[in-house]
């Protein structure tokens, strides 16, 4: 089972369709026959015909024995894992499953605080007790640098009771820790290590990319194939290495968390995307990297803009994913949200904006033409500067607060709650996460206390135009522990 030229799941689905069975099973649209015309026109007949789930002679996602199993085996070989599960509810489900499989109630997990909201959800599910590792805030580039082996080793010395480690690498901006070094320190400790590698599904397919978790003696990692590869939205991968985590526990967690009617359209898209990467990935990524490098060079020449370059972080042990183009716009005198709106007006949508930056993500879909459009739009930015008295000065914006934690996320989530205005919440403990989205890194996690600086920080982001999950209505209501 190592023929990477095969696509067993997609092949079996197509063979099934050729049999032209009369369907007396779900889904109710029955191959699109009864789908609303508007949707049929929008999607085309092919997508409906492939929109199948675990029925009749098709294999099962949760207990695979045939083409689904074979597709996952091929994926595990291509991504360097001992086992890979297909996910149909994004990396979110995979992050939840990792935490639920590894930790029990009140067990301590060393977790880097630049984690995504899904990790907080996972801790609410398993009831673990987080020991947060606050990542370094780089005040030149205004971003978090993911945790490195040295800070994890220090934290181990301070908290010998931790039962597992959870890291996020690469960051949303493509900054990757030295996972090889992380894998080595943990092997002495024999603690399971989980990595949220949502933004690194492409790393196995080109030597210029950071080393993957699976190549670094990490026990479990999750990758959003839909983000950086070519599979459909929501499709993702959970990888496992034999050793410190029981495979059965991960399977059992996934059985709880994933739907019992998985979309085979999503699963087949993972099979096909793995095929594409295994057979053509290196060549495709080589062209993408060249385009992104060209972009970096050109953007650095635009007055007032600068891009994060691989060399900027190398001496601190980080590898930058070259396909992420992080453009610092604030020195121009405008914030990233405004810059993103201007780019949008010139026909270019970027992945993320924050007060200081816009982030453009390159993929194997990009071409010299898409690069040209991005550059044309970026060159327009200096023409839209606000009047000098209202120019944005990013150096005056505070860095993210480091709140103190009083309850576990689960205790806070299940506590009786009050609803209060953000402006009147000083000294209260939040019961829900508050997170600018994207990137979805919570400013406050359930169980943490709100202080005056945090209120001011959230208010400033909100005023600039950030969407903040957890803040409701014009009066900015939040949920706090009673
Ligand atoms: C670091 C990180 N982890 C996990 C997720 C969740 O991924 P998904 O959207 O595939 O559920 C995201 C989403 O943006 C993310 O940025």
């Amino acid at each position: 089972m190592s023929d990477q030229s095969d696509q067993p799941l997609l092949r079996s689905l197509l063979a099934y369709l050729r049999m032209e069975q009369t369907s007396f099973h779900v889904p109710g649209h029955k191959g699109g026959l009864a789908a609303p015309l508007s949707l049929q026109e929008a999607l085309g007949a092919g997508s409906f015909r492939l929109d199948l789930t675990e029925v009749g002679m098709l294999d099962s996602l949760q207990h695979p024995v045939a083409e689904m199993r074979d597709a996952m085996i091929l994926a595990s070989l291509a991504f360097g894992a001992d086992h890979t599960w297909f996910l149909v509810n994004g990396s979110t489900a995979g992050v939840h499953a990792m935490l639920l499989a590894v930790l029990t109630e009140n067990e301590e997990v060393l977790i880097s605080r630049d984690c995504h909201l899904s990790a907080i959800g996972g801790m609410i599910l398993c009831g673990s007790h987080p020991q947060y590792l606050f990542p370094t805030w780089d005040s030149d580039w205004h971003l978090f640098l993911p945790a490195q082996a040295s800070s994890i080793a220090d934290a181990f010395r301070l908290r010998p009771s931790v039962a597992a480690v959870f890291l996020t690498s690469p960051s949303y901006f493509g900054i990757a820790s030295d996972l090889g070094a992380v894998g080595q320190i943990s092997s002495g400790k024999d603690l399971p290590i989980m990595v949220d590698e949502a933004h690194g599904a492409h790393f196995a397919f080109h030597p210029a990319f950071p080393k993957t978790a699976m190549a670094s003696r990490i026990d479990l990692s999750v990758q959003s194939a839909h983000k950086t590869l070519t599979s459909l939205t929501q499709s993702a991968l959970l990888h496992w290495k034999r050793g410190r985590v029981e495979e059965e526990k991960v399977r059992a967690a996934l059985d709880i968390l994933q739907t019992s009617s998985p979309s085979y359209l999503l699963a087949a898209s993972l099979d096909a995307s793995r095929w594409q990467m295994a057979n053509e990935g290196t060549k495709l990524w080589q062209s993408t990297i060249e385009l992104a490098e060209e972009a970096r060079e050109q953007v650095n020449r635009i007055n007032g803009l600068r891009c994060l370059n691989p060399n900027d972080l190398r001496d601190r042990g980080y590898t930058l994913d070259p396909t992420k183009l992080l453009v610092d716009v604030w020195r121009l005198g405008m914030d990233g949200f405004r810059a993103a709106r201007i780019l949008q007006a010139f026909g270019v949508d970027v992945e993320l904006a924050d007060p200081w930056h816009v982030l453009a993500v390159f993929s194997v879909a990009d071409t010299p033409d898409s690069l040209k459009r991005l550059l044309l739009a970026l060159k327009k930015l200096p023409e839209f500067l606000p009047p000098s008295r209202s120019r944005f000065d990013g150096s005056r914006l505070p860095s993210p607060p480091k709140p103190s934690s009083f309850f576990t996320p689960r205790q806070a989530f299940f506590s009786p709650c009050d609803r209060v205005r953000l402006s009147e919440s000083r000294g209260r403990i939040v019961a829900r996460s508050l997170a600018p989205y994207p990137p979805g890194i919570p400013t406050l996690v359930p169980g943490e206390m709100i202080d005056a600086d945090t209120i001011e920080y959230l208010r400033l982001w909100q005023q600039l135009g950030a969407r903040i999950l957890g803040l409701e209505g014009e009066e900015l209501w939040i949920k706090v522990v009673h």
Side-chain angles (χ1 to χ4, degrees), residues 89-93 95 116 118 168 172 196 198-199 224 226-227 236 437 439:
N89 188 21
S91 282
T92 298
V95 167
H116 180 258
S118 53
T168 304
Y172 213 125
D196 176 350
H199 297 275
S224 291
H226 70 95
K227 288 191 197 298
Y437 212 101

Side-chain angles (χ1 to χ4, degrees), residues 388-402:
S388 37
R389 67 190 135 68
S390 48
R391 297 238 168 114
F392 175 68
D393 181 0
S395 65
R396 298 175 64 171
L397 212 59
S399 52
K402 287 188 183 175

